[in-house]
């Protein structure tokens, strides 16, 4: 059975900044062993919490007053080790999240002005530390062709 790490909020856990979840039925029903993780809770943020965003190369509250970058950098290192030890075959990440988003997370410059979209702080570093690990977000998971492509990569990743 495939082992997939999943952004905890996608499994229905109320860990988001607003105290809510974003449970995705098609992920919850996946015939895989699903391992939840939440980078923001993992690096010590409370629930609920002030919203954060990607500001320059930092991860800060949206008012720029609190900088979580160093704690998140440490969490990414520890979590990558934990997930390697668990033998995961891939990960499903929450789109648009400042931590978990893969490609569509809003980005801001050092003054807080929008600059476009890109990867979330955790996802970018996870990919840097473990580039072979298959990744997908819940939007692509709900597209049959993209899900099949991801599952094929995850199966091969387990064999290699
Ligand atoms: S998107 Fe990621 S960091 Fe945000 S609540 Fe979900 S699991 Fe936690």
């Amino acid at each position: 059975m495939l082992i997939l790490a999943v952004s905890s909020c996608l499994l229905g856990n109320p860990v988001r900044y607003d105290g809510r979840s974003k449970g995705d039925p098609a992920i919850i029903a996946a015939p895989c062993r699903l391992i939840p993780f939440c980078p923001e809770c993992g690096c010590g943020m409370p629930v609920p919490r002030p919203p954060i965003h990607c500001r320059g190369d930092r991860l800060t509250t949206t008012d720029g007053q609190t900088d979580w970058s160093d704690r998140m950098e440490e969490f990414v290192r520890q979590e990558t080790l934990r997930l390697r030890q668990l033998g995961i075959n891939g990960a499903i990440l929450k789109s648009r999240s400042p931590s978990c988003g893969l490609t569509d997370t809003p980005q801001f410059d050092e003054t807080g002005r929008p600059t476009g979209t890109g990867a979330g702080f955790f996802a970018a570093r996870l990919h840097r530390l473990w580039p072979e690990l298959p990744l997908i977000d819940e939007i692509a998971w709900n597209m049959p062709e993209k899900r099949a492509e991801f599952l094929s990569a995850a199966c091969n990743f387990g064999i290699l």
Side-chain angles (χ1 to χ4, degrees):
M1 178 181 279
L2 284 179
I3 307 173
L4 301 178
V6 185
S7 293
S8 184
C9 55
L10 291 173
L11 293 176
N13 297 315
V15 291
R16 279 165 52 88
Y17 75 97
D18 56 4
R20 303 172 89 163
S21 69
K22 278 281 180 181
D24 186 308
I27 295 173
I28 293 168
C32 305
R33 183 175 161 214
L34 302 176
I35 297 179
F37 69 93
C38 177
E40 293 175 20
C41 294
C43 72
M45 297 184 204
V47 180
R49 54 185 170 272
I52 57 173
H53 67 187
C54 297
R55 192 179 185 100
D57 61 352
R58 311 296 292 176
L59 183 70
T60 73
T61 48
T62 53
D63 62 8
Q65 294 300 302
T66 305
D67 190 331
W68 287 94
S69 310
D70 294 344
R71 273 166 283 190
M72 187 62 90
E73 292 276 10
E74 181 54 30
F75 177 76
V76 179
R77 280 190 288 273
Q78 290 173 3
E79 191 67 349
T80 301
L81 275 180
R82 183 180 81 98
L83 295 174
R84 278 186 188 275
Q85 284 165 358
L86 286 168
I88 65 167
N89 303 98
I92 309 173
L93 295 132
K94 175 72 186 72
S95 65
R96 291 186 60 81
S97 156
S99 301
C100 293
L102 284 178
T103 58
D104 55 3
T105 296
Q107 307 284 320
F108 300 84
D109 67 15
E110 293 76 7
T111 67
R113 276 192 295 245
T115 56
T117 54
F121 197 92
F122 174 88
R125 282 150 184 81
L126 174 66
H127 181 61
R128 199 177 301 155
L129 286 172
W130 200 356
E132 322 84 59
L133 182 71
L135 302 174
I136 191 170
D137 65 24
E138 85 285 8
I139 296 172
W141 179 268
N142 280 286
M143 301 166 72
E145 279 182 23
K146 298 226 165 159
R147 187 193 304 184
E149 197 176 302
F150 168 77
L151 288 173
S152 169
C155 287
N156 289 332
F157 183 69
I159 293 165
L160 296 174

